[in-house]
Amino acid sequence: VQLQASGGGLVLAGESLRLSCAASGRTSSSYTGGWFRQTPGKEREFVAGIRWSSGSTAYADSVKGRFTISRDNAKNTMYLQMNSLKPEDTAVYYCAVRRNFVLSPVSGAYDFWGQGTQVTVSS
């Protein structure tokens, strides 16, 4: 599975961005997808996850109510809608896919990774 992330950019606090993650190659409805983010000197942090078969989701407490993860099965694409962005959301965002139907917040549980897209939120 190859993943191509896009949609990052520079925005002001309070604005919105939508990240996309296009998947190619052999995929399965039993997979799960996730978004992670990382800042220099810190561990990669779980942001949100989605079960491809059911669409059930999970979020980090820091983004609940502001971010929404979704998936378009027809386009084989996963999205992260980010609203009410804060400066502390600034990071490189990565999409990932896990060959397992169980959602996981652990980066090591994911099998495939996109290349990362920079999100910068200015105050």
Side-chain angles (χ1 to χ4, degrees):
V1 176
Q2 294 80 43
L3 303 175
Q4 181 71 40
S6 61
L10 171 62
V11 296
L12 295 174
E15 294 185 338
S16 299
L17 274 176
R18 188 177 79 156
L19 305 183
S20 299
C21 178
S24 59
R26 179 177 289 185
T27 60
S28 168
S29 61
S30 65
Y31 289 179
T32 55
W35 286 97
F36 290 76
R37 64 188 182 187
Q38 189 170 26
T39 54
K42 291 192 175 182
E43 296 287 322
R44 197 164 290 189
E45 172 191 31
F46 173 78
V47 175
I50 185 167
R51 187 177 291 178
W52 287 6
S53 57
S54 65
S56 58
T57 58
Y59 296 93
D61 287 343
S62 59
V63 306
K64 273 181 187 174
R66 299 189 298 122
F67 290 11
T68 302
I69 187 172
S70 62
R71 171 170 163 78
D72 185 328
N73 290 333
K75 296 182 178 180
N76 221 14
T77 300
M78 186 168 61
Y79 302 98
L80 185 67
Q81 177 67 43
M82 305 185 295
N83 299 329
S84 302
L85 282 161
K86 304 175 181 180
E88 51 263 43
D89 294 318
T90 295
V92 176
Y93 283 70
Y94 297 89
C95 59
V97 167
R98 182 175 191 226
R99 290 178 294 185
N100 192 294
F101 65 92
V102 177
L103 281 169
S104 173
V106 179
S107 61
Y110 288 77
D111 301 292
F112 307 101
W113 290 86
Q115 83 284 11
T117 183
Q118 176 70 47
V119 172
T120 303
V121 184
S122 173
S123 57

